[in-house]
Amino acid sequence: MCAESVVNNQTSATTEDAQALEALPVDETLDHIEFHIRHDLQKRLDLYLRDRLPHHSRSMLQKLIRAGAALVNNRPAKSSTLLRAGDTVQLDIPPAVDHHALPENIPLQVIYEDDHFLAVNKQADLLVHPARGHWTGTLINALLYHAGQTAGTLSTGSDPWRPGIIHRLDRHTTGLILIAKTDEAHWRLAGQFERRTIHKTYLAIVHGVPALDNDMIDAPLGVHPGNREKYAVRTEGGRPAQTIYHVRERFGRSSLLELNPKTGRTHQLRVHLAHIGHPIVGDVTYGGRELTPLDITGPAAPPSPKPICPVIGRQALHAWRLHFVHPFSFTRMSLEAPLPADMLELLSVLRGTGR
């Protein structure tokens, strides 16, 4: 039987959220939270609070905002209020159900580690950190176990739910991710990401063959107008986004691309490649298709009653290399994560058929 396909599910308000909302008028039950916005985020208030408070559902946060529990610069705000540098956000919110990330013995492929940070080759189907409905089985749980086994630490960062996390990869994207072990290493590495001095290189297998060997995709991105769980090219109101691509191999009806994102927008590579008509193989969210051996080689035998499984059951996207400066020795570093088995198998089949 083939592996179960990935399905995106929208999260609704939890029972705990509803009970907490009913308790809103009782001041003694509320926590007062305050955030100071340091950068010009151009992000809606409800989306910002969802990211900062992952243990509360977005629908509950919107109800709290409508009830007047959220202030921006000491004035009642709307869910659609855009946050800018210098804003202060205040929120009175019912205490969340207490969740704690616990160590779990989940395999980790450590590419590099010293006293300040480590680099991990993240496997597919692994969330980076706990979120609504996914409190276990994440990279954070694996890192906590690794730290306990090696007498190591993880940075606290800006969010206690995401110790050590400087940047993220999508659940089904594999490859390099840097993890800070100390707070000082965290802000030094995070600063390199913010200044865009870290050079990131991805590998992707896409449908079709781009007309140009090299090009830059310059297309602003924003939330999809019809599905807030997705992103899309938005010429009006989108945030600037640039991706440079280089064609490494051609297979007739598909290609291996090397990608260098110049910005770091959510789903940027996936949306940009779909935008130019070359979605990533397996990325069904953005127009890609799962490829079976028959799709690639053509029928070589009579049809079988057994299901034909795809060669790869996720988007064929891998964070391959990182070039950056060590946060303490200031030496230039270059780390590389080997391709996972499913992408190697897909490439092997494509190279054997020229498709």
Side-chain angles (χ1 to χ4, degrees), residues 205 281-282 289-292 309-317 340 342-343 345-346:
I205 304 169
V281 170
R289 295 181 295 107
E290 295 180 339
L291 297 181
T292 68
C309 300
V311 180
I312 186 170
R314 62 174 182 93
Q315 68 255 20
L317 180 63
D342 55 0
M343 286 185 67
E345 181 181 0
L346 178 57

Side-chain angles (χ1 to χ4, degrees), residues 21-90:
L21 186 63
E22 294 173 359
L24 180 59
V26 184
D27 293 341
E28 294 79 9
T29 68
L30 303 182
D31 289 335
H32 181 79
I33 302 174
E34 189 168 304
F35 300 107
H36 299 280
I37 310 301
R38 298 179 180 178
H39 304 286
D40 196 6
L41 300 177
Q42 287 291 304
K43 178 179 283 190
R44 288 170 51 111
L45 174 62
D46 57 346
L47 297 179
Y48 174 79
L49 291 175
R50 181 196 63 181
D51 290 343
R52 295 305 304 270
L53 303 168
H55 43 289
H56 289 285
S57 71
R58 182 183 174 197
S59 60
M60 182 205 175
L61 292 169
Q62 289 175 330
K63 291 177 182 178
L64 290 172
I65 294 169
R66 288 197 297 269
L71 304 178
V72 175
N73 301 328
N74 294 316
R75 295 182 179 180
K78 299 180 179 180
S79 292
S80 59
T81 297
L82 292 179
L83 299 179
R84 304 178 185 275
D87 287 346
T88 297
V89 178
Q90 297 170 295

